[in-house]
Amino acid sequence: MKSRKKCILVHNFTITILSALFGAALLAGCAGRPDPSKEPVTRTEYALGTYISVRVYAEVEDDLLQAVFDRVMEIEEKMSVSEDDYDTTELLELNRRAGAEPYQLSPDTYEVLQAAREYSELTNGAFDLTIGPLVRLWNIGSEDATVPEEHAITEAVSKVDYTDISFESNDTVYLEEAGMAVDVGAIAKGYAADQAGRILLDAGVEHALLDFGGNIFTIGKKPDGSNWRIGIQHPEEPRNQYLGILEGYDETVVTSGPYERYFVEDGVRYHHILDRDTGYPVRNGMLSSTVVAEESMEADALSTAAFVLGMEEAQELVLSTDGVEAIFVNEEKKVWISPGLRERFELTAPGFELLS
Ligand code: AMP
Ligand code: MG
C-alpha cells in the first residue's frame, strides 16, 4: 500500500442526513438503558475515495466500530483499481492478466463482480463492469485530467464489453481480451455499506445511520421511533443543499450525479459517469438519479445505470424491478418520483416541477 487513511473524526460534519437536526431523544445501546442525554457514537474515516460515517445510537464498544471500518478497508484493499494508492489489489492483478490468464479472487470480490455482471446484463451495458479502460483514460478526479485524444477514446471503447468476461469455478475470473479492465466504482461502496450494516445488525444495533459518501444506509428508525429524514442532494448546488427530503427507515438511498467528480475544459464540464458507446461522459439530460432499495449494492448499481439510461428508460427499469424506488431529475428541472415514494418525498428546492 502506498498512501492511505486520512483521519478519524468523532462527529460527522459531511453527512446528508437531517435527522440529527430533528430528534433529540436518543436511546442508549442494545445492552444499555435509554439515556436521552447521550450522543450517538459517530466515527468518520476516509475510505473508498470518500468520507464514510457510521453513526450508532447505542452504547457500543470501540471494537464494533473498528470491526466496521476494518471490513470497509478490507474491501477497498481487495477491489481498488487505483495504482496511485496501491501496488497491488485483487482487481489490479485481474486486470493485469487480461487476455493472458484467469485469476482467482476472494469470495468477496467474486461476489461483487458477479453482481456487477448481472447489472450489466439487466441494463444492456448502461452499467458495464468492464468500463475500466475508459475510467483509466479519462482519469476524472485526478488533478491533471484532460479530454483524451479521439483515437485513444476509440481504442478504449473497443475494450469495453461485459460479455467478454468469464466466470469460472473457485472464484476465478478471466478477462478475455488484452487491455480489458473491470472497475467497481459504481457498486463497491454499496457492497461495503451492506457489509458494514450487516456487522451492526449482527451485534444487535437497532438504530444507526451509515453515510458512504452519499450512499445512505439506515438501520431501524430513529431512536424516538420516528422516520429518518434524508436530504437528497440538490444537483446544482453545493453539498448539503437539498432537492427535497425523503422520510423512511430500514433502507438505503443512493444518488449518482455529474456533480460528484468532474473537470471543466474550454467551458465544458466532463464528469465521471461514462457512456461505453461514445466513450464520453454521459450527456442525456439527466441531472441526478437517486435509487431507494433494501440492498445498497443494488441501489448503487441501479442509480449509476439509471443516470446512463436517461429519464424514460430509467423509469422503465425502476418500474420493472421489485423493491426498488427512485427519484430522477433532468435538466429541464423535472422531477420524477416512483409511486412508492410519492407519499414520503417532499420536494423543497425552488424551481423544480414534479412529473406525474
Ligand atoms: P457512481 O458514483 O456510483 O454513480 O459511480 C461512478 C463510478 O462508476 C465512476 O467513478 C467509475 O468508476 C464507474 N463508472 C463510470 N461509468 C460507468 C458505467 N457506465 N458503468 C459502470 N461503472 C461506471
Ligand atoms: Mg453507483
Side-chain angles (χ1 to χ4, degrees):
M1 194 168 81
K2 291 180 180 166
S3 65
R4 274 263 46 91
K5 283 194 183 167
K6 287 208 176 149
C7 67
I8 300 174
L9 310 170
V10 174
H11 290 285
N12 169 12
F13 302 107
T14 60
I15 205 159
T16 51
I17 300 283
L18 297 180
S19 57
L21 302 177
F22 296 88
L26 305 173
L27 192 68
C30 34
R33 285 175 293 111
D35 177 0
S37 66
K38 203 154 186 53
E39 289 289 321
V41 182
T42 301
R43 178 163 161 180
T44 301
E45 288 194 27
Y46 191 84
L48 300 171
T50 190
Y51 283 97
I52 293 184
S53 285
V54 175
R55 180 185 296 184
V56 177
Y57 291 80
E59 274 171 4
V60 292
E61 303 291 329
D62 280 351
D63 288 1
L64 180 61
L65 288 184
Q66 189 58 47
V68 167
F69 281 97
D70 285 350
R71 182 77 178 109
V72 171
M73 282 312 295
E74 183 188 4
I75 292 166
E76 167 168 326
E77 286 166 11
K78 288 176 173 175
M79 303 185 203
S80 172
V81 289
S82 168
E83 290 187 315
D84 292 338
D85 289 342
Y86 293 97
D87 294 325
T88 183
T89 67
E90 290 184 21
L91 291 187
L92 282 172
E93 292 304 323
L94 174 69
N95 290 342
R96 286 169 187 158
R97 287 168 176 75
E101 57 178 356
Y103 187 65
Q104 186 174 20
L105 304 161
S106 63
D108 271 344
T109 309
Y110 189 78
E111 182 185 340
V112 170
L113 288 191
Q114 270 195 318
R117 201 242 324 240
E118 279 168 29
Y119 291 115
S120 303
E121 285 167 354
L122 177 72
T123 63
N124 285 321
F127 177 104
D128 191 319
L129 85 154
T130 64
I131 199 82
L134 280 168
V135 173
R136 250 184 342 217
L137 180 66
W138 282 88
N139 205 10
I140 289 169
S142 78
E143 278 175 16
D144 49 3
T146 76
V147 178
E149 303 272 338
E150 200 59 47
H151 69 87
I153 292 178
T154 310
E155 167 72 10
V157 165
S158 75
K159 303 291 180 196
V160 178
D161 186 349
Y162 66 87
T163 65
D164 286 343
I165 173 167
S166 53
F167 289 77
E168 303 173 2
S169 54
N170 288 334
D171 302 326
T172 298
V173 171
Y174 180 45
L175 305 181
E176 293 166 10
E177 303 291 330
M180 283 181 75
V182 296
D183 179 290
V184 294
I187 190 171
K189 272 194 287 176
Y191 180 74
D194 290 330
Q195 294 293 308
R198 172 56 43 210
I199 290 171
L200 296 177
L201 282 164
D202 286 349
V205 168
E206 294 175 345
H207 312 278
L209 283 174
L210 291 76
D211 181 352
F212 280 48
N215 281 37
I216 305 297
F217 186 101
T218 57
I219 293 178
K221 294 192 170 194
K222 283 165 52 180
D224 66 3
S226 62
N227 288 329
W228 304 105
R229 289 168 56 83
I230 297 172
I232 306 298
Q233 175 63 39
H234 192 302
E236 294 178 319
E237 297 287 344
R239 274 254 177 249
N240 296 341
Q241 299 213 33
Y242 303 113
L243 174 75
I245 309 297
L246 179 68
E247 286 205 27
Y249 63 97
D250 274 335
E251 65 188 5
T252 182
V253 181
V254 179
T255 300
S256 287
Y259 50 81
E260 282 179 39
R261 250 182 293 152
Y262 63 88
F263 67 92
V264 177
E265 190 172 302
D266 296 333
V268 179
R269 188 149 94 154
Y270 296 90
H271 63 79
H272 70 137
I273 303 176
L274 302 168
D275 182 329
R276 67 166 201 163
D277 296 324
T278 64
Y280 282 79
V282 168
R283 262 186 235 298
N284 59 10
M286 280 292 254
L287 269 189
S288 80
S289 63
T290 297
V291 170
V292 181
E294 199 177 311
E295 189 192 69
S296 205
M297 181 163 68
E298 177 173 44
D300 197 355
L302 293 183
S303 68
T304 307
F307 189 88
V308 178
L309 287 169
M311 196 55 132
E312 274 77 36
E313 279 187 64
Q315 289 177 23
E316 284 169 30
L317 175 69
V318 166
L319 293 173
S320 62
T321 309
D322 282 345
V324 168
E325 304 288 343
I327 301 164
F328 299 141
V329 188
N330 70 12
E331 287 168 357
E332 292 165 4
K333 298 203 162 184
K334 300 274 198 310
V335 182
W336 182 76
I337 304 170
S338 64
L341 297 187
R342 286 180 192 157
E343 297 296 308
R344 56 192 183 94
F345 177 71
E346 185 193 351
L347 181 65
T348 53
F352 289 85
E353 191 190 326
L354 291 179
L355 283 168
S356 51

